[in-house]
Amino acid sequence: MTCKALLGAAAIIAAGVQVQAETLDVASTFPKNMPFLGEGAEVLAKNIEIATGGEVTLRVHGAGDLVPALEVLTSVSSGAIPAGWDFIGYWGGTIPVASLAGAMPFGPSPDLFVGWMWEGGGLEIVQKAYDPLGVKLLPCHVTAPEPGGWFNKEINTVADLEGLKMRISGMGGKVLNKLGASTQLLPAGELYVALERGRIDATEFSLPVVDKSLGFAEIAKYYYFPGWHQPASWNSLIVNMDVWNGFGEEVQNQILTACKATVAWSMAAAPEPQGAVIEEFRAMGVETKRFPDEVLAALRAASKEVLEEEAAKDPLFAEAYASIQDYLSKAQDWTSLQTIPSE
Amino acid sequence: MTCKALLGAAAIIAAGVQVQAETLDVASTFPKNMPFLGEGAEVLAKNIEIATGGEVTLRVHGAGDLVPALEVLTSVSSGAIPAGWDFIGYWGGTIPVASLAGAMPFGPSPDLFVGWMWEGGGLEIVQKAYDPLGVKLLPCHVTAPEPGGWFNKEINTVADLEGLKMRISGMGGKVLNKLGASTQLLPAGELYVALERGRIDATEFSLPVVDKSLGFAEIAKYYYFPGWHQPASWNSLIVNMDVWNGFGEEVQNQILTACKATVAWSMAAAPEPQGAVIEEFRAMGVETKRFPDEVLAALRAASKEVLEEEAAKDPLFAEAYASIQDYLSKAQDWTSLQTIPSE
């Protein structure tokens, strides 16, 4: 072997253990700089870069930069873009079970939704719905209970929901329809104008810190609680399956570890800042209100109807719904026994 | 440069990016195979191996294998062992603030304790107490609310706590002392015999799945709830600071990512299995009971006294206590607004 050949061989050995960096373009369904939801994608990107030793980095693009927000799933499925960052519930039109995996009305709180998804068999069920699309689902970010929404109409009785025009995502819309409301799903960027012009009477979007960035406090009279429609919500990284399979098992495991670290971040970062933001809204003249118990009871009953109807239509929805109910009933006795009376 | 020198240079370049595996001996304060608590160390070890690409692996040793359980901190501090796996509250005798960081009676639930520790400034305060010992604190595992304990004596009134002999760890012991109980901290391995022989009337240890492995259901009449003394508890990896500093920044960040992924695991894995285990205990004849509200109110008042006394004695305890209270008050309005009435 010549000196040159030897050096070539040495170079190949060196290259074999060197980092082969790969940058993944990620189309987000949220504006890039949106607090918490956009931030979550950046935290995930950082964690993936750390855990893969720089082998995989994410380049996150804000909603609409690569494809329209609500076309992210089909674009990842087709391979037009390698990955996306979403609210799982956005895909309920294509994948029925995604409505439920995104957020279940009157369903699990964040800790129990994380338990069901990652340790209670949830992810395995939901992935079955993504397999035919050739998409790998990584639920890496859980959102704390969202408030009930911004209203310019008071809700004092169940009858007040009749004819209400509201923007609401996920299954909450179907529940409100049962009670006579007319609902629609508009992307974040269109909500301010729709509410200001009175084309809608009410809208929900996300946590107070997120909603602040959308300016609703300037144009809404009431901020209603609790967020019965999304007691916890999953945001996920979705990856084209060919891209995912192209990573070795080691890198796949590193991405999973980074994903779980991001779940912990999302749970840790949510609780503290909301209170101060709610105070800011009050100072701007917004009145915080709770839905009357009678209204919540009607919403709960309607939610059950909707969940059962959806389960009857789709086997994977039915499987996931039964699995969540089973999980919650197992946790129920334990959590009741452990309740600490308030001061 | 000669051919040989060139090859040497190439070899150095190759070595520079090769994995330099390091195995860290970790002395646990828990039996190696203990469900959840021992398991948590294994999950962390796996996550660290993944995130560091095999550069760092943990070799976990059960309680007593390297050093006695309650000497783990001093041994890590001296460098006799490089790392430990513990309940932070065990070190309250050496580091007062560790009592509080381990678990706060009537304090934060797991989600809020995670928020305070990782995103609310908690870790920065508590680390200041570990710095003089030369120990790096990594809170990687949060334990769900522990039950109130196994009793062979009924607790119907506050007076029933007088003269009660109970094994209890953390600050709960000091609280019970205020109400006339006599408390002690015994390691896991000694509890069964102490309770069976009647040397103690009651003991708590951890979650139902953990307590099952200790056999208390065979010898206790009552299983009391809720776990007022530990609504959430931190377990941590502690690393000798010289060892920690010996890792490069990249590996340190990888370990932190693995640590947070383990936090997510600990929150996800806890809720589901407890209910079934409680049912097993009932089938064995154990009666589950709740402390009367009057007793819980007295325990809450005594807890406040103890917390204030400890804060008066130690500046870091005082700083952490004020910080937790501030954090909880910020989260309070938000969580009250968001409460969903039960069915």
Side-chain angles (χ1 to χ4, degrees):
Chain A
M1 208 180 247
T2 65
C3 180
K4 196 175 162 193
L6 272 170
L7 270 174
I12 286 164
I13 292 164
V17 292
Q18 266 176 356
V19 165
Q20 301 294 333
E22 179 165 351
T23 300
L24 221 56
D25 283 296
V26 179
S28 176
T29 58
F30 307 111
K32 194 165 159 55
N33 298 320
M34 180 167 269
F36 196 63
L37 297 175
E39 210 179 346
E42 298 301 336
V43 171
L44 176 64
K46 183 81 194 151
N47 285 338
I48 287 179
E49 188 178 349
I50 289 170
T52 64
E55 219 162 317
V56 178
T57 54
L58 307 186
R59 186 161 46 207
V60 182
H61 304 266
D65 286 354
L66 295 182
V67 291
L70 299 182
E71 289 173 21
V72 167
L73 176 65
T74 46
S75 306
V76 171
S77 174
S78 73
I81 48 171
W85 174 250
D86 65 19
F87 163 49
I88 294 182
Y90 284 154
W91 317 127
T94 313
I95 305 175
V97 71
S99 303
L100 184 65
M104 176 174 151
F106 294 94
S109 54
D111 51 336
L112 295 177
F113 219 10
V114 171
W116 175 73
M117 186 65 91
W118 281 103
E119 297 292 326
L123 183 52
E124 291 74 9
I125 297 170
V126 185
Q127 179 61 52
K128 285 194 279 185
Y130 282 71
D131 280 339
L133 299 173
V135 174
K136 174 74 181 174
L137 172 67
L138 297 159
C140 304
H141 185 276
V142 71
T143 295
E146 299 189 353
W150 300 86
F151 285 69
N152 276 322
K153 192 180 154 185
E154 261 188 283
I155 304 297
N156 294 314
T157 66
V158 180
D160 290 331
L161 297 173
E162 270 182 47
L164 178 81
K165 288 172 290 170
M166 180 165 185
R167 181 275 181 196
I168 182 166
S169 77
M171 307 200 67
K174 288 180 180 163
V175 174
L176 282 174
N177 293 342
K178 288 256 171 212
L179 298 170
S182 129
T183 62
Q184 55 190 304
L185 176 57
L186 298 170
E190 300 176 23
L191 297 179
Y192 184 95
V193 170
L195 188 62
E196 190 188 27
R197 302 275 164 86
R199 287 203 296 271
I200 51 177
D201 305 312
T203 185
E204 56 79 54
F205 187 72
S206 184
L207 296 180
V209 290
V210 182
D211 287 5
K212 180 184 170 184
S213 70
L214 297 175
F216 300 137
E218 300 160 12
I219 49 170
K221 288 188 202 152
Y222 310 112
Y223 198 17
Y224 268 94
F225 295 81
W228 57 274
H229 61 303
Q230 293 186 223
S233 312
W234 274 110
N235 305 101
S236 77
L237 178 72
I238 49 176
V239 183
N240 178 277
M241 196 61 89
D242 291 335
V243 174
W244 177 254
N245 289 335
F247 297 131
E249 195 190 333
E250 185 182 3
V251 169
Q252 287 178 349
N253 284 333
Q254 288 169 336
I255 293 174
L256 283 165
T257 300
C259 174
K260 289 180 191 176
T262 309
V263 170
W265 175 84
S266 67
M267 296 185 83
E272 189 187 20
Q274 313 306 333
V277 173
I278 292 171
E279 275 309 316
E280 286 177 37
F281 296 154
R282 285 178 179 142
M284 290 169 76
V286 173
E287 191 179 339
T288 53
K289 292 176 87 75
R290 275 182 60 91
F291 293 116
D293 283 357
E294 173 224 354
V295 171
L296 288 171
L299 289 167
R300 185 189 281 274
S303 295
K304 205 173 167 209
E305 276 179 48
V306 169
L307 288 161
E308 281 166 7
E309 284 166 13
E310 297 299 313
K313 282 187 231 162
D314 182 78
L316 276 178
F317 190 110
E319 187 181 349
Y321 183 45
S323 172
I324 292 182
Q325 286 181 301
D326 180 52
Y327 186 89
L328 291 179
S329 78
K330 282 181 187 158
Q332 179 61 47
D333 186 29
W334 161 244
T335 47
S336 319
L337 278 168
Q338 285 289 39
T339 305
I340 293 181
S342 54
E343 212 163 347
Chain B
M1 207 181 249
T2 64
C3 181
K4 196 175 162 192
L6 273 170
L7 271 173
I12 287 164
I13 292 165
V17 292
Q18 266 176 356
V19 165
Q20 302 293 334
E22 180 165 350
T23 299
L24 221 57
D25 284 295
V26 179
S28 176
T29 59
F30 307 110
K32 194 165 160 54
N33 298 319
M34 180 168 268
F36 196 64
L37 297 175
E39 209 179 346
E42 299 300 336
V43 171
L44 176 63
K46 182 80 194 153
N47 285 338
I48 287 180
E49 189 179 348
I50 289 170
T52 64
E55 219 163 317
V56 178
T57 54
L58 307 186
R59 186 161 44 207
V60 182
H61 303 266
D65 286 354
L66 296 182
V67 291
L70 299 182
E71 289 173 21
V72 167
L73 176 65
T74 47
S75 305
V76 171
S77 174
S78 73
I81 48 172
W85 174 249
D86 65 20
F87 164 49
I88 293 182
Y90 284 154
W91 317 126
T94 313
I95 305 175
V97 72
S99 302
L100 184 64
M104 175 173 152
F106 294 94
S109 53
D111 51 336
L112 295 177
F113 219 10
V114 171
W116 175 72
M117 186 65 91
W118 281 104
E119 297 292 326
L123 182 53
E124 291 74 10
I125 298 171
V126 184
Q127 178 61 51
K128 285 194 279 185
Y130 282 71
D131 280 339
L133 299 173
V135 173
K136 174 74 182 175
L137 172 67
L138 297 159
C140 304
H141 185 276
V142 71
T143 295
E146 298 190 353
W150 300 86
F151 286 68
N152 276 322
K153 193 180 153 185
E154 261 188 282
I155 305 297
N156 294 314
T157 67
V158 180
D160 290 332
L161 297 173
E162 270 183 49
L164 178 81
K165 289 173 290 172
M166 181 165 183
R167 181 275 180 194
I168 182 166
S169 77
M171 308 201 67
K174 287 179 180 164
V175 174
L176 282 174
N177 293 341
K178 288 257 171 210
L179 299 171
S182 130
T183 62
Q184 55 189 304
L185 176 56
L186 298 169
E190 299 177 24
L191 297 179
Y192 184 95
V193 170
L195 188 62
E196 189 188 26
R197 301 275 164 86
R199 288 203 296 271
I200 52 177
D201 305 312
T203 185
E204 57 78 55
F205 186 73
S206 184
L207 296 181
V209 290
V210 182
D211 288 6
K212 181 185 170 184
S213 71
L214 297 174
F216 300 137
E218 299 160 12
I219 49 170
K221 287 188 205 154
Y222 310 112
Y223 198 18
Y224 267 95
F225 294 80
W228 57 273
H229 61 302
Q230 293 186 223
S233 312
W234 274 110
N235 305 100
S236 77
L237 178 72
I238 48 176
V239 183
N240 179 277
M241 196 61 89
D242 291 336
V243 173
W244 178 254
N245 289 335
F247 297 130
E249 194 190 334
E250 185 182 3
V251 168
Q252 288 177 350
N253 283 333
Q254 288 169 335
I255 293 174
L256 283 165
T257 300
C259 174
K260 289 180 190 175
T262 310
V263 170
W265 176 84
S266 67
M267 297 185 83
E272 189 187 19
Q274 313 306 333
V277 173
I278 292 171
E279 275 309 316
E280 286 177 37
F281 296 155
R282 285 178 179 142
M284 291 168 75
V286 173
E287 192 179 337
T288 53
K289 291 175 88 75
R290 275 183 59 92
F291 293 118
D293 282 357
E294 174 224 353
V295 171
L296 288 171
L299 289 166
R300 185 189 280 274
S303 295
K304 206 173 167 207
E305 277 179 47
V306 168
L307 287 161
E308 281 166 7
E309 284 165 14
E310 298 299 314
K313 282 187 231 163
D314 182 78
L316 277 177
F317 190 110
E319 187 180 349
Y321 183 45
S323 172
I324 292 181
Q325 285 181 302
D326 180 53
Y327 186 90
L328 291 179
S329 78
K330 281 180 187 157
Q332 180 62 47
D333 187 29
W334 161 244
T335 47
S336 318
L337 278 168
Q338 285 289 40
T339 305
I340 293 181
S342 54
E343 211 163 346

